[in-house]
Amino acid sequence: MPPRPPRPHKLLVFLVLFLFSVPLLRPIHMAPTAAAAAAVAGGGVEAEAEALLGLLQRVQSEALRAFGPNDFDPKLYVDLPLAADASAAAALASLPRAVPSRGEMEAYISRYFAPAGSDLVAAADPPDFERDPPGFLPRVERAGARAWALEVHALWKDLTRRVAPAVAARPDRHTLLPLPGRVVVPGSRFREVYYWDSYWVVRGLLVSKMYETAKDIVLNLVYLVEKYGFVLNGARSYYTNRSQPPLLSSMVLDIYMATGDMAFVRRDEEFASKLSTAAKEKFYHQVASTAETGWDFSSRWMRDSTDMTTLTTSYIIPVDLNTFILKMEQDIAFFAKLIGESTTSEIFSEASKARHNAIESVLWNADMEQWLDYWLPTDGNCQAVYQWKSNSQNRAIFASNFVPLWLNAQHSGLERFVDEAKSVRVMRSLQKSGLLQPAGIATSLSNTGQQWDFPNGWAPLQHLIVEGLLRSGSGEARELAEDIATRWVRTNYDAYKATGAMHEKYDVVTCGKSGGGGEYKPQTGFGWSNGVILSFLEEFGWPQDKEIDC
């Protein structure tokens, strides 16, 4: 009998499967439905989990009637686990029929449900956590900056959790999904793992020398792939209908580059009341698609920036999504070559080149020196040959227009996405765009009240653009990258000193001010903000004679 061929490495197989279903340039579409995900996972328990979610949505509605809209957080109610001595049937039967008073609703919730977040348990100090790890930020010389960086580093302990064993034992009693390893949550109302947040958490953990915790995060995401067929938006049953920007391969690559751990790469086993009913269904589809982008919500996805019901996300070819997919194709080509699978490497190398050409052909705007989202027609006719139209590019200015620069920041052996001369032209466009503000890069120029619009700045966007400028080959671009990072570090520092917390987003017009707007209260914690600050301090240091205050 001939010898069996070696088993494909699971992680590589997962990454390959992601890509085979992705066309060259794609608009945002929802991931498989919850029903489809349940079918993949096997049926019965998922049906019970769906029943719990239906109950919690009823509780959510009754709570809104009882407590009123002021300071109401709808997420709180769908995160509630059933109390140990309660059943879903009893909770449903006891749900108040008339409009409940505040006291009645509080008593009902206390009787039938445990507190939100109680199905996550605080982990003991992660075994790879050290108070001041060897080699931590050696170029941060100023005492105040270093003391603060160590406080940010220590926040990993506060954000590290494990999913309680009861979740795996009785998943029908929780919307939280079981995960095998330690998790790092963003913080505040975000009590679960999120996909694209995890990339910047991993980057920060690598600065903190917490390599095993970083690996746990990736292996948890791989577990979700094994169970649902894709990485969920977040580890909750109500997120099984969508994903987020595809950054899993980037996490694996960064861990490998930091540790050289081939065993990790090769591991087999861990690897709107005014709308009609039809219009509502279309609108909710667009809402879910927008959540997949990570930019929920922004005028970027609206035909009319003043009207949420004009969301048309699934008809947009986004600049950043295609950037992330191209990066994933390059990563898979790299991994495949690393483990000797040359045919697979060549397939994905060619795919990345084709996507590169498509991005430059469809999304690049030579007049603006930016990459622009492309708007597809909404008449549903996408089957015929389509003629590219220049007026279908969205000429509004968003930070995402500059995200392809990030592809310059690649592992060795690959050419830059754009050459130095073009990178400099893009840099000049950024400088003239109006996005550069005293405390960082604004998300857009439109102040709509949405959180992914002006005046908010977000850690991931600062990091993507700074890394791209930094690796462009231009000394001037490197200076701008350091200037943006300095602005961002200072606003985070001043806000931390004023509030004692790291924030989810910041108002980039005013140094030291946290951000606002959107569908919920501003949150603190905060995973990706911590990760980006540590990454910037590692990259640029902080000299003794450089002020860190605004």
Side-chain angles (χ1 to χ4, degrees):
M1 178 180 292
R4 291 178 61 189
R7 291 176 63 191
H9 306 299
K10 268 194 178 179
L11 182 56
L12 178 62
V13 170
F14 287 144
L15 298 178
V16 169
L17 288 175
F18 285 162
L19 268 292
F20 275 137
S21 63
V22 178
L24 278 182
L25 280 164
R26 60 167 284 225
I28 295 287
H29 286 293
M30 288 177 64
T33 64
V40 169
V45 172
E46 282 72 16
E48 294 177 355
E50 282 291 308
L52 173 64
L53 185 55
L55 166 64
L56 292 175
Q57 289 169 334
R58 290 277 306 278
V59 172
Q60 182 188 70
S61 297
E62 294 305 316
L64 177 60
R65 292 204 299 165
F67 302 141
N70 290 339
D71 297 330
F72 182 80
D73 182 3
K75 186 177 185 299
L76 171 68
Y77 301 96
V78 292
D79 288 357
L80 296 171
L82 281 170
D85 60 347
S87 70
L92 181 61
S94 300
L95 196 64
R97 300 297 179 225
V99 178
S101 69
R102 175 178 289 270
E104 288 171 335
M105 198 66 208
E106 288 174 345
Y108 168 80
I109 291 172
S110 177
R111 166 65 184 88
Y112 290 101
F113 300 97
S118 61
D119 40 9
L120 277 167
V121 294
D125 284 359
D128 52 354
F129 176 83
E130 295 185 50
R131 188 183 63 81
D132 191 351
F136 179 70
L137 301 180
R139 296 170 54 224
V140 176
E141 300 168 353
R142 191 174 183 89
R146 183 164 190 83
W148 172 57
L150 286 168
E151 290 182 40
V152 174
H153 162 71
L155 291 175
W156 297 132
K157 294 193 301 179
D158 299 334
L159 297 173
T160 301
R161 307 277 193 278
R162 282 193 179 275
V163 178
V167 176
R170 290 295 305 274
D172 55 307
R173 303 177 67 82
H174 308 262
T175 60
L176 188 68
L177 300 177
L179 292 171
R182 284 166 293 167
V183 303
V184 177
V185 298
S188 296
R189 75 196 287 266
F190 298 112
R191 309 171 185 92
E192 54 282 314
V193 167
Y194 284 82
Y195 183 5
W196 84 312
D197 294 57
S198 294
Y199 173 70
W200 287 278
V201 169
V202 164
R203 290 294 298 261
L205 289 169
L206 295 179
V207 175
S208 292
K209 317 302 179 188
M210 295 175 65
Y211 304 127
E212 296 308 312
T213 300
K215 292 175 186 177
D216 266 4
I217 288 175
V218 168
L219 295 174
N220 284 332
L221 300 182
V222 170
Y223 169 82
L224 293 175
V225 176
E226 290 180 315
K227 186 168 179 64
Y228 295 96
F230 60 99
V231 183
L232 307 185
N233 182 146
R236 290 274 178 187
S237 61
Y238 51 76
Y239 285 138
T240 55
N241 69 333
R242 62 181 187 257
S243 186
Q244 272 192 326
L247 289 165
L248 177 57
S249 69
S250 293
M251 298 180 219
V252 176
L253 180 63
D254 288 342
I255 291 171
Y256 171 72
M257 289 299 183
T259 65
D261 186 352
M262 276 295 294
F264 177 68
V265 175
R266 292 178 176 274
R267 191 170 304 185
D268 276 350
E269 297 305 321
E270 291 91 359
F271 272 102
S273 61
K274 66 179 180 180
L275 301 175
S276 67
T277 299
K280 281 182 180 178
E281 290 179 359
K282 290 181 180 179
F283 173 61
Y284 294 146
H285 174 85
Q286 297 303 328
V287 168
S289 296
T290 305
E292 279 200 286
T293 71
W295 286 49
D296 45 336
F297 293 94
S298 169
S299 60
R300 182 181 173 195
W301 314 116
M302 304 174 195
R303 298 288 181 175
D304 177 352
S305 64
T306 66
D307 185 356
M308 274 278 287
T309 65
T310 65
L311 283 169
T312 51
T313 313
S314 64
Y315 295 95
I316 296 172
I317 298 175
V319 169
D320 44 0
L321 174 61
N322 282 281
T323 299
F324 297 141
I325 295 174
L326 191 154
K327 170 70 160 57
M328 185 165 59
E329 289 165 337
Q330 292 179 332
D331 291 344
I332 293 173
F334 174 80
F335 290 136
K337 185 176 181 180
L338 191 67
I339 62 177
E341 298 190 11
S342 57
T343 300
T344 300
S345 179
E346 185 62 28
I347 289 171
F348 283 95
S349 178
E350 290 303 312
S352 71
K353 292 174 184 176
R355 189 175 302 276
H356 185 165
N357 291 336
I359 289 173
E360 292 297 280
S361 300
V362 177
L363 305 180
W364 174 249
N365 185 290
D367 294 332
M368 294 177 64
E369 301 282 7
Q370 300 172 22
W371 294 270
L372 307 180
D373 293 338
Y374 191 87
W375 293 67
L376 295 170
T378 58
D379 58 10
N381 181 19
C382 295
Q383 304 305 314
V385 175
Y386 180 77
Q387 182 68 40
W388 181 87
K389 300 174 183 177
S390 62
N391 61 2
S392 291
Q393 289 185 325
N394 182 3
R395 290 177 175 254
I397 293 177
F398 298 94
S400 53
N401 297 7
F402 301 92
V403 164
L405 285 174
W406 182 58
L407 293 167
N408 287 335
Q410 291 296 306
H411 48 80
S412 59
L414 289 176
E415 296 180 1
R416 294 190 185 97
F417 179 71
V418 292
D419 60 29
E420 180 180 342
K422 185 170 181 176
S423 293
V424 169
R425 297 200 306 273
V426 174
M427 177 196 71
R428 299 255 189 268
S429 179
L430 174 62
Q431 290 172 314
K432 295 184 295 184
S433 68
L435 293 176
L436 287 181
Q437 296 291 321
I441 300 170
T443 308
S444 78
L445 298 182
S446 301
N447 192 342
T448 64
Q450 300 297 340
Q451 64 173 351
W452 286 84
D453 272 319
F454 189 88
N456 285 342
W458 293 78
L461 295 174
Q462 317 299 313
H463 189 255
L464 291 165
I465 294 172
V466 164
E467 277 211 329
L469 291 169
L470 188 63
R471 308 287 185 244
S472 67
S474 161
E476 188 179 357
R478 179 182 175 85
E479 289 178 5
L480 179 60
E482 184 167 4
D483 176 58
I484 294 168
T486 295
R487 300 181 198 200
W488 189 251
V489 169
R490 283 177 170 154
T491 199
N492 279 251
Y493 176 84
D494 266 31
Y496 183 88
K497 289 301 179 182
T499 66
M502 296 290 287
H503 296 264
E504 178 190 24
K505 54 187 178 282
Y506 294 84
D507 181 333
V508 293
V509 174
T510 305
C511 191
K513 183 179 179 181
S514 60
E519 311 301 312
Y520 53 82
K521 284 184 175 181
Q523 303 295 295
T524 59
F526 197 88
W528 61 19
S529 298
N530 307 350
V532 168
I533 285 300
L534 294 176
S535 294
F536 280 169
L537 289 174
E538 181 177 61
E539 179 64 48
F540 298 106
W542 204 273
Q544 177 64 40
D545 59 353
K546 185 175 181 178
E547 294 290 340
I548 194 168
D549 301 275
C550 290

